[in-house]
């Protein structure tokens, strides 16, 4: 059984935290490609391209080659888009973790430590929309070889305890459509689905990028 402990973030954890986050998120790149490939408009474009080329070339080689190239290009572009998203997160609150999660701002960041290294993390900050008494849970991630040990559950409970002690009303968070394990984790922790919407950007609409907001109401809960 692996021994781990949850402790507050320290500046020397900086590189490890960014690496755990980036690695955890980059795992979703293949799932994102599959998700986009399953969209009806993508299947229609691929199907029409295949049929048109087959009809004009009267050979299977050209359409098969063209579809293979299209798929490779799409995979590359989606990979770039996903990397850009990860970089944006690294340049946001994970750029200066100490400042973004400063106690003076009512925020906090924790890491899970095992085998003398950082293997997981989570943070909470006051909501950007200024909703009073609400904290946003962010950057939950656990190294792949330390998953299934209850580390994320322990990190989530630590964050909820913190919010409770601060007298907060609720803890909220966002998940993307690909994060099935995370959604199961939050539901198991007692979060309720609050809102579900398609990301209101061109990319969000094209990729049918669905965001599910979860909420844990602390009022009336022990
Ligand atoms: C989501 C994540 C943090 C879970 O970490 P973990 O330490 O393995 O989670 P735990 O061991 O505490 O498991 C808690 C619950 O999560 C759910 N869960 C975890 N892994 C799962 C999996 N592979 N499949 C289905 N459910 C899973 C289960 O409900 C589990 O409870 P159970 O073991 O009683 O069934 C981890 O998979 C991860 O880091 N993923 C990549 C980053 C990410 O998606 N972060 C979420 C951002 S919103």
């Amino acid at each position: 059984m692996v021994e781990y402990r949850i402790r507050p973030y320290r500046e020397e954890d900086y590189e490890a935290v960014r690496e755990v986050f980036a690695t955890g998120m980059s795992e979703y790149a293949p799932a994102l490609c599959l998700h986009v490939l399953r969209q009806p408009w993508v299947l229609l474009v691929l199907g029409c391209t295949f049929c048109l080329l087959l009809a004009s070339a009267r050979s299977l080689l050209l359409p098969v080659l063209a579809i293979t190239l299209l798929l490779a290009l799409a995979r590359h572009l989606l990979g770039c888009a996903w990397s850009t998203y990860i970089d944006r997160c690294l340049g946001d609150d994970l750029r200066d973790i100490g400042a973004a999660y400063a106690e003076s701002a009512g925020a906090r960041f924790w890491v899970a430590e095992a085998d003398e290294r950082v293997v997981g993390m989570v943070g909470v900050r006051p909501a950007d929309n200024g909703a009073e008494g609400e904290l946003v849970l962010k950057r939950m991630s656990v190294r792949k070889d330390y998953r299934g040990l209850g580390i994320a559950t322990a990190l989530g409970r630590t964050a909820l305890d913190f919010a409770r002690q601060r007298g907060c009303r609720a803890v909220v968070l966002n998940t993307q459509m690909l994060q099935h394990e995370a959604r199961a984790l939050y539901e198991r922790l007692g979060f309720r689905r609050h809102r579900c919407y398609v990301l209101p950007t061109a990319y969000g609409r094209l990729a049918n990028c669905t965001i599910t907001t979860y909420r844990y109401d602390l009022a009336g809960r022990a």
Side-chain angles (χ1 to χ4, degrees):
M1 183 68 193
V2 176
E3 298 262 327
Y4 65 87
R5 69 179 178 122
I6 310 293
R7 62 161 175 79
Y9 168 82
R10 297 194 290 249
E11 279 310 321
E12 62 260 34
D13 302 324
Y14 183 76
E15 290 303 336
V17 161
R18 288 168 59 90
E19 192 246 316
V20 171
F21 172 78
T23 314
M25 292 308 281
S26 58
E27 284 170 29
Y28 289 108
L32 174 67
C33 294
L34 268 181
H35 173 79
V36 174
L37 188 61
R38 287 198 196 106
Q39 298 310 307
W41 72 268
V42 176
L43 293 174
L44 191 69
V45 168
L46 289 176
C48 289
T49 309
F50 186 86
C51 291
L52 280 173
L53 289 173
L54 188 62
S56 57
R58 293 182 191 284
S59 125
L60 258 181
L61 190 64
L62 182 68
V64 168
L65 256 177
I67 295 296
T68 311
L69 274 176
L70 265 180
L71 288 176
L73 179 70
R75 198 191 186 294
H76 175 72
L77 290 177
L78 284 168
C80 291
W82 194 244
S83 298
T84 307
Y85 167 70
I86 296 174
D87 287 344
R88 220 177 45 233
C89 299
L90 291 172
D92 186 22
D93 55 317
L94 294 179
R95 189 172 58 84
D96 186 348
I97 304 167
Y101 292 90
E103 278 188 63
S104 54
R108 190 68 77 87
F109 203 91
W110 298 268
V111 298
E113 196 181 58
D115 301 326
E116 292 173 20
R117 64 179 188 144
V118 171
V119 299
M121 63 204 221
V122 74
V124 282
R125 309 172 63 183
D128 285 339
N129 63 9
E132 209 175 312
E134 271 186 26
L135 289 180
V136 184
L137 185 147
K138 291 173 86 82
R139 313 309 180 203
M140 172 74 85
S141 197
V142 173
R143 266 189 213 279
K144 207 168 187 172
D145 35 349
Y146 288 86
R147 290 189 191 156
L149 302 172
I151 294 180
T153 306
L155 285 162
R157 289 199 178 126
T158 304
L160 289 172
D161 287 346
F162 172 81
R164 204 172 277 118
Q165 282 157 19
R166 291 283 155 126
C168 294
R169 272 191 306 124
V171 178
V172 296
L173 61 90
N174 290 327
T175 61
Q176 298 197 22
M177 67 286 169
L178 309 169
Q179 296 173 314
H180 307 292
E181 298 87 354
R183 286 210 294 274
L185 160 74
Y186 298 129
E187 283 171 22
R188 206 173 176 293
L189 276 167
F191 282 81
R192 300 275 171 264
R193 275 176 204 231
H194 182 60
R195 200 158 83 92
C196 194
Y197 62 96
V198 173
L199 200 66
T201 61
Y203 161 76
R205 288 189 193 98
L206 280 174
N208 190 21
C209 185
T210 315
I211 307 291
T212 306
T213 302
Y214 278 89
R215 185 179 174 93
Y216 188 107
D217 283 303
L218 289 152
R221 289 212 211 189

